[in-house]
Amino acid sequence: MTAPAQPPRRSLLTVDARTRRRNAAETRFRAYGITAVSVAMLALAVLLYSVFSNGLGAFRQTFIVMDITLDAAALDPSGQRDPAAMAKVTTIGYARQIEAALMQELEAKGISSAEISAKDVSALISKESPAQLRNMVLADPALLGSTIQFRGYANGRIDGYFKGRVSMESAERDSNISPAQLQLADRMREAGVIVLGFNWGFLTGPDASELRPEAAGLGIAILGSLYMMLIVLVLALPIGVAASIYLEEFAPQNRWTDLIEVNIANLAAVPSIVFGILGLALFINFAGLPQSAPVVGALVLTLITLPRIIIPARASLKSVPPSIRDAALAVGASKMQTVLHHVLPLAMPGILTGLIIGLAQALGETAPLLLIGMVAFVRDYPAAPPEGFFDPASALPVQVYNWTQRADPAFAERASGAIIVLLVFLLVINSVAIVLRRRFERRW
C-alpha cells in the first residue's frame, strides 16, 4: 500500500503569499491610522490658526493720546469737589473737554485738519472716551483744574483701519467713516497722537453696546465663568465621588441599583439644552433664584457634569486590584477605612481625569446658560462671593455667542479673542487637575 503524500514543508523564513497579504493588510492599517491622525492634526492647526489670526487683534487697541486741562468750572459747577454733585455732569460735558483738547493737540503738533469739519475730527474719538474721563475725575476729584495726559479709545473704524479691517476703498462706501478721516488718522499716528497698545480693557472691562465695539470687554464674563466653575467644583466633585463610592463599594446588586446605573449612563448622553429647560423650571420658576446669576448656571452645569464624573470614578475604583482591599481587611481595617485610606487614593488619578473632562465640557456649555437668562446685557460687575454668586453676570461661551450675533466686524474679532481667553482658561484648569492627578498617581 502506498503511503499518503506528505505536505511540503514550509520554512518560517520563507515569505509565502498568505504572509504577504497579512503584511500588506497591516501596512494599510498603519497607513490609515497615520492618515487619520494627520488629518486631525491638520484640522486642529487650521482651527487654531483661524482663531488666533482673527482674535489676537482684540488684545491690541488704538488709543488717542492728548493733554487735557480739566475745566473745574465746567465739570464741578458747585465748586465743592463733592463726587455726588459732580456726578450730575453728564458725559456730554466731558465730551466737550475731549473735543477741545484734541483740536488743541492737533494744532500743537502741526497736524492740518482743514479738509474735514470739527465734527468729523471729534468722530475719531470713541463715544466711550468721555465715560472713561468722567470715571477718572469722579474717582479723584483733585484732578480738576490740572492738565493730565488722557489715553482714550479711538473710534472702532479707526481701530479697524490700523488692524486691516477697514481700507480707503471700504471707507468710501461707509457712512461712519470717510477717506479724509483715515488720512488724518495716518498723520496723527505719525505724530504720536494715535498709538497702538495692549488692550487691558478687553480683559477687565464690561461689555459695550453695538455702537462701541472698541470698548467691549470680558471682565464680567470672566468673573461669571470663574464663579460658576468654583461652585461646580465644590458641588460636583464631592457628590460625584460619594455616589461612585457608594455604587461601587457599598450598594447591593438589585434592580434599584441597576436602574440608577442605567439612568446615570443615559444622563451622560442627554443634550445639554434639556438640562437648561430643567434649570429654568426648577431653579428659577420653582425655587425663585434670580435669572442670569452664576449660582443658577453653576447648578445646571453641576447636573450636566455629575454623570461625567461618576462614570469614570466608578471605573477607576473598579480598576484597583482586589488584593488591596483584601490586605486592608486582613489587618483589621473596616470597610470604610479600606475604601477611604487605600482604595480611594489609588483611584484618585482616574477620578481627576473624569473631573477634567467634566469641567472642560461645563466651561464650554452655552445652550443651558442661554435658557436661564445669562445672555442678558450686563454692565455692572458682580460683587465678591458669596453675594456675587447671586448677582447678574455673563459667561465666556455666552459672550462669544453674543458677539457673533452683532453686525460690526469688530465684534467678530472680539469673539475670536474671547475664544482664546476661553482656551487659556481651560488650559489652566486642566493643568491644575493634571498636576493633582500626578500627585496622587501610584503604581502597584
Side-chain angles (χ1 to χ4, degrees), residues 61-309:
Q61 185 65 40
T62 305
F63 299 95
I64 296 180
V65 182
M66 67 191 86
D67 292 330
I68 298 180
T69 301
L70 299 173
D71 187 357
L75 303 180
D76 184 20
S78 66
Q80 301 298 319
R81 299 299 190 266
D82 181 14
M86 293 169 56
K88 296 179 181 180
V89 180
T90 64
T91 55
I92 297 176
Y94 288 88
R96 295 192 184 111
Q97 299 280 311
I98 295 176
E99 292 167 6
L102 179 58
M103 298 302 295
Q104 293 175 3
E105 189 74 22
L106 295 181
E107 184 178 353
K109 298 286 187 179
I111 303 173
S112 173
S113 60
E115 69 277 8
I116 60 177
S117 64
K119 181 179 179 181
D120 289 338
V121 174
S122 62
L124 302 181
I125 307 170
S126 169
K127 291 181 173 60
E128 186 71 15
S129 293
Q132 289 179 273
L133 182 60
R134 182 174 182 268
N135 293 336
M136 289 174 56
V137 173
L138 292 179
D140 186 7
L143 295 175
L144 289 177
S146 64
T147 300
I148 63 171
Q149 186 182 70
F150 178 66
R151 185 184 175 98
Y153 288 125
N155 179 280
R157 292 294 195 275
I158 300 299
D159 181 61
Y161 173 63
F162 291 113
K163 293 179 181 178
R165 292 195 310 269
V166 178
S167 63
M168 291 292 180
E169 292 75 15
S170 65
E172 294 177 354
R173 305 184 299 270
D174 194 340
S175 60
N176 296 314
I177 199 69
S178 67
Q181 289 175 301
L182 297 182
Q183 293 169 3
L184 175 60
D186 283 329
R187 296 194 295 270
M188 292 170 63
R189 186 177 184 184
E190 292 174 0
V193 179
I194 287 182
V195 297
L196 267 74
F198 187 81
N199 186 15
W200 287 106
F202 177 66
L203 298 176
T204 60
D207 194 10
S209 67
E210 294 193 12
L211 301 178
R212 306 177 185 181
E214 65 279 355
L218 289 172
I220 295 177
I222 291 176
L223 277 180
S225 292
L226 181 61
Y227 285 178
M228 287 193 299
M229 289 300 104
L230 286 176
I231 299 175
V232 171
L233 183 63
V234 169
L235 292 179
L237 182 60
I239 294 175
V241 173
S244 303
I245 291 175
Y246 174 75
L247 291 174
E248 191 63 34
E249 302 292 339
F250 296 97
Q253 294 296 321
N254 53 40
R255 66 177 62 185
W256 293 110
T257 55
D258 291 342
L259 180 63
I260 292 174
E261 293 176 3
V262 169
N263 279 290
I264 290 175
N266 289 336
L267 285 175
V270 171
S272 60
I273 195 169
V274 176
F275 289 96
I277 297 173
L278 174 63
L280 177 63
L282 180 61
F283 301 127
I284 295 179
N285 295 338
F286 178 75
L289 293 176
Q291 289 188 6
S292 191
V295 65
V296 180
L299 290 173
V300 174
L301 295 179
T302 299
L303 296 178
I304 298 175
T305 306
L306 275 175
R308 292 166 177 82
I309 293 179

